[in-house]
Amino acid sequence: MFSVKELVESVSLTSLPSNYIFGNTESDRHCLLMEPEETVPIIDFSLLTSHDPHQRSKTITQLGNACLDWGFFMVINHGVAETLRDEMVRETESFFDLRGDEKKQYAGKKLFDPIRCGTSFNANVDKTLLWRDYLKIHVHPHFNAPSKPYGFSKVLREYCEKTREMASELLRGISESLGLEERYINEKLGVESSESHQLFVANMYPPCPQPELAMGLPPHSDHGLLTILMQNGIQGLQVMHKGKWVLINPLPNSFLVNTGDHMEILTNGKYKSVVHRAVVNNKSTRISIGTAHGPPLDTPVSPAKELVADDAGQAYLGITYRNYLELQQSKSLSGKSCLDRLRFSM
């Protein structure tokens, strides 16, 4: 089967095919709720970009605490039109609804193919297939888009420009929260340059006959500095916090943002990438849309010397963004296994 969607639509499934059985995840799926005071941090983007120094300083502190304690936060009042968000979700649904032969031209095998769609994570090495179809598009520095559905390209371009602007502003605030100059991260890693890298990733998780046995995406951390995510209103994202899975219920019209592995490398482990996963359900199709933001592909990323304490030393090896992506794609997704290979033994 080319996709999970085709599998679901081709037969009346009452049980999960054996090659999708991830293991019984029911034991910890329902142990998700944290104590009431454990609320996901909320960052008001309008205050981060405010001309009021007090409001901006207060928000930068909140942003730093969110990166330090969670590696994850919600962004509100971000200025991205709700109509654009809705259009992006609709166009993404329309892409997944294309006939198999229309999508087949994008069934790329290579990591840096401009447009790739497929299923699971890396079907060549995944021992168990994931209940997930995906569309991945390299949208910056060179913009790419599928020719169908009509209108997808225009919406994608505008959406990615808006999220790229948001990422740049968030990284300025994160730089200041670390005690660095506002433009430190953007300039050191070329995030605002014409060669910076942005990857659009859309995931579709169709209804699953036995969701307790399947997994949409296993526990993993993301590459890059930040991932900016939205979804179609169906829950499924879970974040690891203090040893427990927290089910994320986003505020209306908010974005979800998590720190990536390259943020952990750059900050020498101060701001850690967050482990998260996607679970599935048996009633509704969930769609998530993420944009991963990183430096130019051939830019080496290593701990900032300003953040390496003399008594602790450098905790991670430097690596180019391109080589890190290749390393991650060569294995199955598994926690922080990719980042762990770059840690210095202390």
Side-chain angles (χ1 to χ4, degrees):
M1 284 291 174
F2 174 65
S3 71
V4 175
K5 184 175 186 291
E6 288 179 347
L7 172 64
V8 170
E9 294 175 350
S10 65
V11 293
S12 180
L13 285 178
T14 57
S15 62
L16 192 67
S18 60
N19 55 335
Y20 286 93
I21 296 178
F22 197 85
N24 194 332
T25 59
E26 194 67 24
S27 59
D28 63 348
R29 281 169 65 95
H30 297 300
C31 300
L32 305 173
L33 295 179
M34 306 291 289
E35 295 300 317
E37 64 269 17
E38 292 288 354
T39 55
V40 175
I42 298 172
I43 301 300
D44 189 327
F45 191 78
S46 67
L47 298 182
L48 180 65
T49 56
S50 171
H51 294 297
D52 182 332
H54 174 71
Q55 292 281 20
R56 176 171 164 76
S57 176
K58 182 179 176 181
T59 307
I60 287 172
T61 299
Q62 294 171 344
L63 182 58
N65 289 337
C67 292
L68 188 64
D69 297 337
W70 281 78
F72 181 86
F73 50 92
M74 293 187 207
V75 175
I76 61 172
N77 298 327
H78 41 69
V80 180
E82 190 170 3
T83 53
L84 176 60
R85 289 162 51 95
D86 291 344
E87 286 175 350
M88 192 71 263
V89 171
R90 283 196 299 270
E91 292 294 338
T92 300
E93 290 174 335
S94 296
F95 176 85
F96 285 118
D97 284 340
L98 293 174
R99 298 191 315 269
D101 61 308
E102 293 178 296
K103 291 182 286 189
K104 199 168 186 177
Q105 63 177 304
Y106 304 119
K109 302 295 184 183
K110 297 179 181 178
L111 176 61
F112 296 109
D113 284 347
I115 305 171
R116 283 194 301 147
C117 67
T119 192
S120 198
F121 175 71
N122 185 349
N124 294 324
V125 300
D126 292 338
K127 294 179 180 178
T128 302
L129 295 178
L130 303 172
W131 198 259
R132 168 233 194 188
D133 296 333
Y134 66 80
L135 169 64
K136 297 184 179 183
I137 308 174
H138 294 271
V139 290
H140 199 266
H142 306 293
F143 180 75
N144 299 284
S147 57
K148 294 182 180 180
Y150 177 78
F152 186 99
S153 177
K154 180 182 177 183
V155 174
L156 177 67
R157 184 186 291 274
E158 184 178 358
Y159 180 81
C160 290
E161 286 175 354
K162 294 293 186 182
T163 53
R164 204 158 57 244
E165 291 170 3
M166 190 192 313
S168 178
E169 288 290 348
L170 289 171
L171 289 171
R172 292 181 188 185
I174 290 171
S175 284
E176 289 194 69
S177 77
L178 290 163
L180 302 171
E181 194 274 325
E182 176 188 18
R183 304 186 69 87
Y184 182 92
I185 294 177
N186 286 329
E187 290 185 351
K188 178 179 174 63
L189 296 184
V191 179
E192 293 180 336
S193 75
S194 60
E195 295 300 312
S196 65
H197 193 263
Q198 183 184 23
L199 180 68
F200 173 92
V201 182
N203 300 301
M204 168 177 270
Y205 307 99
C208 179
Q210 293 179 289
E212 72 279 3
L213 299 179
M215 186 64 71
L217 279 173
H220 68 285
S221 57
D222 291 345
H223 60 76
L225 294 163
L226 296 176
T227 298
I228 298 176
L229 184 85
M230 69 170 178
Q231 55 190 30
N232 66 338
I234 306 299
Q235 293 182 356
L237 174 64
Q238 298 175 359
V239 170
M240 177 62 72
H241 181 64
K242 296 183 178 179
K244 292 184 179 180
W245 290 111
V246 180
L247 178 64
I248 303 301
N249 184 19
L251 294 172
N253 200 35
S254 66
F255 281 102
L256 305 174
V257 181
N258 64 267
T259 51
D261 291 343
H262 289 81
M263 181 67 74
E264 182 165 338
I265 294 172
L266 180 69
T267 64
N268 207 40
K270 181 172 182 178
Y271 290 170
K272 292 179 169 53
S273 56
V274 66
V275 174
H276 53 288
R277 67 181 184 179
V279 298
V280 294
N281 70 83
N282 59 5
K283 294 182 176 63
S284 304
T285 294
R286 176 173 179 259
I287 287 180
S288 68
I289 295 172
T291 52
H293 301 265
L297 287 175
D298 294 313
T299 295
V301 181
S302 58
K305 65 180 186 299
E306 294 86 348
L307 301 176
V308 177
D310 293 338
D311 58 341
Q314 183 173 321
Y316 303 89
L317 293 167
I319 188 172
T320 66
Y321 193 31
R322 181 189 303 276
N323 288 346
Y324 192 89
L325 290 173
E326 291 170 338
L327 180 64
Q328 187 183 61
Q329 189 65 34
S330 68
K331 308 289 183 182
S332 295
L333 277 183
S334 178
K336 290 191 173 187
S337 59
C338 188
L339 184 60
D340 288 342
R341 296 178 67 175
L342 301 180
R343 297 182 196 274
F344 276 116
S345 299
M346 304 300 287

